[in-house]
């Protein structure tokens, strides 16, 4: 990580650490925690009142996202869910309710203060099928092929290494797994400089990808069935959006790439161990030659 990226990550960490402290200190006042000050495009008002009412007030107050990824992801009983950048835990707790006692909801965050707040909220809510992990979304501390659904709420735009986030998300998903993400994206004609003019990095604007960049990033990681749907403007040429995509299952990957599993990803391998990926693709006349690896 270069110095600029390290500085941006530290700026993001300090911003969300301060937000967690603000919520925590608010619980000592007579009126309870105060929501973090954001405009109408971000925060807990994007959740239905019935959802907010079922959660600890501190989890609701700490919400800083641009959508409701638990609704986007269409979660089911028994699924294992991972929330990237889980903050105070609102999406983890909502996910835990949807997947039920036979499922599990993980939250990943790099900020000690947010993790402490999330653990308090989980204990207060009585959730027993949740686990919070400390780490970065560029290096997820979970084994490969263990998660059914990855969600995230306006966090990927904060990363300084988005290809790593997409690759790590693909890695931890089981074949056939999916993502349901809320994020901020820019119009394709806006340059990075123009995006920065519309808002700062920690405000989820300057670091946002364009619609085309986001799609290409997911495709490069190996995702298919990509759907990116803008929901509302958050600045001139900047939009809150819903992102859905799927990790191909083994049958799809084999059919699509002529004897190669996990085609065009860092995990692709020839079905026949006696051949290399390049040899398998060449022998089958596969048109997808991207990302060939010897092995």
């Amino acid at each position: 990580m270069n110095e600029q990226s390290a500085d941006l990550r530290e700026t993001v960490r300090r911003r969300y650490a301060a937000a967690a402290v603000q919520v925590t200190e608010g619980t000592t006042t007579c009126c309870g925690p105060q929501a973090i000050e954001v405009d109408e495009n971000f925060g807990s008002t994007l959740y239905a009142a019935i959802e907010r009412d079922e959660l600890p007030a501190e989890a609701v107050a700490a919400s800083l996202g641009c959508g409701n990824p638990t609704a986007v992801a269409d979660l089911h009983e028994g699924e294992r869910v991972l929330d990237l950048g889980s903050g105070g835990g609102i999406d983890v707790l909502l996910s835990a309710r949807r997947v039920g006692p036979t499922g599990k909801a993980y939250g990943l965050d790099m900020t000690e203060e947010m993790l402490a707040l999330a653990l308090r909220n989980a204990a207060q809510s009585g959730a027993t099928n949740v686990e919070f992990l400390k780490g970065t979304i560029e290096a997820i501390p979970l084994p490969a092929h263990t998660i059914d659904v990855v969600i995230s709420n306006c966090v990927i735009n904060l990363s300084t290494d988005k290809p790593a986030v997409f690759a790590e998300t693909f890695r931890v998903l089981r074949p056939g797994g999916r993502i349901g993400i809320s994020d901020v994206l820019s119009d394709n004609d806006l340059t990075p400089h123009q995006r920065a003019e519309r808002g700062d990095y920690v405000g989820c604007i300057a670091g946002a990808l364009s619609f085309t960049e986001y799609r290409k990033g997911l495709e490069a990681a190996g995702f298919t069935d990509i759907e990116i749907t803008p929901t509302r403007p958050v600045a001139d040429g900047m939009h809150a959006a819903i992102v859905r995509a799927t990790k191909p299952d083994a049958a799809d990957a084999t059919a699509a790439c002529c004897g190669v599993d996990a085609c065009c990803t860092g995990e692709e391998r020839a079905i026949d161990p006696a051949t290399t990926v390049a040899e398998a693709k060449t022998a089958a006349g596969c048109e997808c030659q991207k990302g060939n690896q010897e092995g």
Side-chain angles (χ1 to χ4, degrees):
M1 179 183 298
N2 62 38
E3 184 175 351
Q4 181 182 18
S5 295
D7 288 344
L8 282 172
R9 176 180 286 182
E10 177 58 19
T11 300
V12 170
R13 189 202 65 77
R14 288 199 303 267
R15 157 74 167 115
Y16 289 93
V21 170
Q22 178 179 332
V23 170
T24 301
E25 290 180 347
T27 63
T28 64
T29 69
C30 63
C31 301
Q34 297 298 308
I36 306 300
E37 292 186 4
V38 290
D39 62 32
E40 68 277 5
N41 294 308
F42 301 89
S44 61
T45 57
L46 300 174
Y47 296 83
I50 190 171
E51 292 179 313
R52 300 196 303 267
D53 293 344
E54 292 175 346
L55 297 174
E58 291 82 1
V60 175
S63 174
L64 293 162
C66 57
N68 182 351
T70 59
V72 170
D74 187 27
L75 303 177
H76 304 291
E77 286 275 342
E79 290 188 316
R80 296 164 67 87
V81 184
L82 169 64
D83 180 18
L84 301 180
S86 49
I90 185 170
D91 294 317
V92 174
L93 297 179
L94 288 172
S95 296
R97 290 173 180 266
R98 285 173 168 79
V99 301
T102 60
K104 188 165 184 177
Y106 293 92
L108 174 63
D109 206 282
M110 69 176 181
T111 309
E112 292 275 5
E113 293 84 352
M114 276 295 186
L115 287 168
L117 177 60
L119 288 169
R120 283 179 46 188
N121 290 331
Q124 184 177 342
S125 71
T128 58
N129 59 338
V130 304
E131 182 176 347
F132 289 96
L133 308 168
K134 183 180 180 181
T136 67
I137 61 176
E138 298 86 0
I140 300 171
L142 286 171
H145 318 305
T146 55
I147 299 297
D148 296 296
V149 188
V150 172
I151 63 173
S152 188
N153 196 350
C154 212
V155 172
I156 293 176
N157 67 76
L158 296 171
S159 172
T160 59
D161 189 354
K162 295 173 182 66
V165 177
F166 294 143
E168 278 290 273
T169 300
F170 191 90
R171 179 185 66 82
V172 300
L173 281 170
R174 65 167 178 77
R178 63 194 187 278
I179 63 172
I181 291 170
S182 297
D183 215 343
V184 171
L185 284 75
S186 86
D187 286 343
N188 292 327
D189 59 351
L190 291 185
T191 67
H193 178 73
Q194 290 171 323
R195 297 169 210 176
E197 290 179 335
R198 287 154 171 76
D200 60 13
Y201 205 94
V202 296
C204 303
I205 300 297
L209 296 175
S210 71
F211 286 94
T212 295
E213 290 167 342
Y214 216 106
R215 178 177 294 275
K216 287 184 176 179
L218 292 172
E219 290 174 344
F223 286 98
T224 59
D225 302 323
I226 299 168
E227 299 177 5
I228 302 177
T229 307
T231 56
R232 65 186 185 285
V234 297
D236 182 22
M238 310 292 297
H239 310 268
I242 292 168
V243 181
R244 297 183 177 93
T246 304
K247 178 175 180 175
D249 62 30
D252 288 341
T254 300
C257 269
C258 324
V260 178
D261 278 329
C263 183
C264 303
T265 75
E267 299 176 3
E268 66 177 358
R269 296 291 184 272
I271 299 299
D272 182 353
T275 66
T276 67
V277 166
E279 289 169 345
K281 290 183 176 182
T282 300
C286 181
E287 295 181 359
C288 179
Q289 298 296 320
K290 177 184 174 183
N292 283 348
Q293 296 180 6
E294 295 297 323

